[in-house]
Amino acid sequence: MIWAMVLLPVLLLVMGMPIFTVLMAAGSVTLIWVMDLPIEMIQTELFGSVDNYNLIAVPFFIWAGAIMTAGGISKRLVDWVLSLLGGLRGSLGLTTVGACTIFGAISGSSPATVAAIGGMIYPSLRARGYPEHFASGLVTSSGAIAGIIPPSIGMILYGVAAEESVRNLFIGGILPGLLIAAMMGAYVYFVARRLNIQEGGTFAVRNIVTTTRQGAWALGMPLIILGGIYSGIFSPTEAAGVSCLYSIIVALFIYRDVDARGLWKVTIESAYLTAQILVIVGAAMLFSRLLTIAGVPQMIVEWLKAMNMAPWMVMAAINILLLVVGCFLDPISAILVLSPLLKPVIVAAGIDPVHFGVVLTVNLMIGMFTPPFGLNIFVTQAMFKVPLGTLYRGLVPFIIINLIGLVIISYWPDLTMVLVRAL
């Protein structure tokens, strides 16, 4: 069984096969030749895994985020944040962090945030005197906040795979996401002072009023969607549908930055991305189901019990595992494969599954900008042609900051759970 469920996937990954192909091949070989289970189980698991009400939120949030991105939302958000921070040392760098955080509450996608916010603000960072390594590292790492701040697609998938409340996961991700944003902002301010960066901006109430009026509809989306979820007016899946309707109205009829042809193009692109995600969902859930049938989660739990590890040691071991996995696998595949395996482990250790879902998401978002295969790295490198050596050097301090944030989030569960209990 080891050769089919461990060695075969590793071999296929090394050969450069797509992740869904790796999971499907390993799952099919294991099911047919190792476990001798009915072949019909393949189609049953594939279609059954995507026949989930919570998963409907994924294509809706992807579509809504794409519409808002095409509709000029990112520029209005950047202008609004910059008006609030004008006059502060490092205001443009702080705006990068702030705009990525707010845009993350719209798109829920880390690479999309890097493309939308970074594509507009990176040239300004360089023009204002920020070094290439720092500017590229800031843009690449700030985009990862979008995967933590709700509505996070990663948290939706964890909720499906681990059978946990997506609403509670969204609520739990608010303070950890803001903590990481605050820590990155503090570092940006420190660097701007040390380098004596002069942005030349000024603080003016008139600018705030103007940018707020221009960006009110963009700012309204996270308020309406997340406010509706947390107040219990609608579920996360219903909120995703509302976000699509809201984004279409704003982009087509209010801002008018998108016409019918542009909307159709965005829709097709979103459908392709949704298909890519859902085929991974099906393949990963098949693979996870076979691991469960083989008793792998129970074996891990028994192994940890035999080692008599304290809960903090279990959390540390899982964090190390997730950080390594995040460097090589995309978050979607990692969440879907590992969540069913690790949930029995953390439950046995007395760790709340909602708290762990946030910890898992933060781990894998760090992997989005950690060499060698962080997806955000490829987005930044492709857009701005930054040499990889320069980009890697700029990412080091942000990786350290995020790791410190991860430790705080891991061992201070109330940071995650206080709002969950209150709401």
Side-chain angles (χ1 to χ4, degrees):
M1 184 179 295
I2 293 178
W3 71 268
M5 305 197 77
V6 178
L7 299 181
L8 179 59
V10 171
L11 176 62
L12 293 176
L13 281 173
V14 171
M15 293 172 60
M17 300 293 286
I19 186 64
F20 79 91
T21 304
V22 171
L23 295 171
M24 274 297 299
S28 301
V29 169
T30 303
L31 184 144
I32 297 171
W33 283 290
V34 178
M35 290 185 170
D36 194 24
L37 294 171
I39 195 172
E40 291 80 11
M41 184 178 172
I42 295 177
Q43 65 187 47
T44 301
E45 288 295 326
L46 285 178
F47 288 100
S49 60
V50 297
D51 184 17
N52 187 298
Y53 178 72
N54 287 326
L55 273 180
I56 300 174
V58 173
F60 279 163
F61 277 128
I62 289 174
W63 191 30
I67 294 171
M68 297 294 272
T69 301
I73 303 303
S74 55
K75 182 181 186 307
R76 292 175 172 87
L77 290 178
V78 168
D79 290 343
W80 182 72
V81 176
L82 191 57
S83 70
L84 296 177
L85 301 175
L88 278 178
R89 184 64 61 86
S91 60
L92 196 59
L94 293 171
T95 297
T96 305
V97 177
C100 285
T101 303
I102 298 174
F103 193 79
I106 294 175
S107 72
S109 169
S110 181
T113 301
V114 173
I117 302 298
M120 182 176 53
I121 210 168
Y122 178 80
S124 298
L125 287 169
R126 295 289 292 121
R128 299 292 175 85
Y130 288 90
E132 184 180 34
H133 71 278
F134 178 82
S136 59
L138 173 62
V139 168
T140 306
S141 58
S142 295
I145 300 174
I148 306 168
I149 292 289
S152 164
I153 292 175
M155 289 184 183
I156 295 173
L157 296 175
Y158 171 80
V160 171
E163 299 181 348
E164 290 296 326
S165 167
V166 175
R167 175 183 179 273
N168 287 345
L169 289 165
F170 279 3
I171 296 172
I174 295 175
L175 294 182
L178 293 177
L179 170 68
I180 291 178
M183 293 174 65
M184 292 179 64
Y187 175 70
V188 169
Y189 181 77
F190 168 77
V191 170
R193 288 187 63 87
R194 182 168 59 84
L195 297 178
N196 196 28
I197 301 292
Q198 303 290 338
E199 271 96 348
T202 58
F203 177 85
V205 175
R206 180 178 59 187
N207 290 341
I208 296 177
V209 173
T210 300
T211 56
T212 300
R213 185 175 65 250
Q214 293 174 346
W217 289 100
L219 296 169
M221 183 170 175
L223 293 177
I224 292 174
I225 302 309
L226 300 181
I229 294 174
Y230 303 150
S231 63
I233 296 176
F234 37 66
S235 68
T237 301
E238 292 166 342
V242 172
S243 70
C244 290
L245 179 61
Y246 182 89
S247 59
I248 290 173
I249 293 173
V250 171
L252 279 181
F253 303 111
I254 297 177
Y255 289 151
R256 298 181 180 179
D257 290 333
V258 175
D259 55 15
R261 179 173 296 180
L263 177 62
W264 177 249
K265 179 181 178 182
V266 166
T267 302
I268 295 299
E269 292 172 351
S270 300
Y272 278 126
L273 180 56
T274 299
Q276 292 171 15
I277 292 175
L278 291 184
V279 74
I280 294 175
V281 169
M285 295 302 277
L286 170 65
F287 190 75
S288 297
R289 175 66 172 161
L290 294 175
L291 289 173
T292 302
I293 293 174
V296 174
Q298 292 77 13
M299 290 166 51
I300 296 175
V301 171
E302 293 301 321
W303 177 67
L304 289 174
K305 285 182 178 179
M307 293 185 65
N308 197 27
M309 295 176 67
W312 73 267
M313 297 175 66
V314 174
M315 180 67 83
I318 291 177
N319 275 334
I320 294 172
L321 169 66
L322 292 174
L323 287 170
V324 173
V325 169
C327 293
F328 298 94
L329 281 184
D330 66 279
I332 294 172
S333 305
I335 288 171
L336 293 170
V337 172
L338 294 178
S339 296
L341 288 179
L342 295 178
K343 183 179 178 180
V345 176
I346 59 104
V347 169
I351 300 169
D352 189 283
V354 173
H355 173 221
F356 176 70
V358 175
V359 172
L360 180 145
T361 303
V362 173
N363 267 290
L364 297 177
M365 286 305 107
I366 294 175
M368 293 291 284
F369 59 92
T370 302
F373 299 123
L375 185 56
N376 287 7
I377 294 175
F378 298 134
V379 173
T380 298
Q381 207 279 327
M383 291 182 65
F384 312 123
K385 303 299 185 291
V386 180
L388 282 178
T390 301
L391 179 54
Y392 288 167
R393 181 161 63 95
L395 285 170
V396 170
F398 293 105
I399 292 173
I400 295 172
I401 290 169
N402 277 262
L403 289 176
I404 295 172
L406 173 63
V407 172
I408 295 173
I409 294 165
S410 297
Y411 294 106
W412 186 18
D414 282 346
L415 180 69
T416 298
M417 301 305 297
V418 62
L419 291 182
V420 176
R421 299 189 190 105
L423 300 176

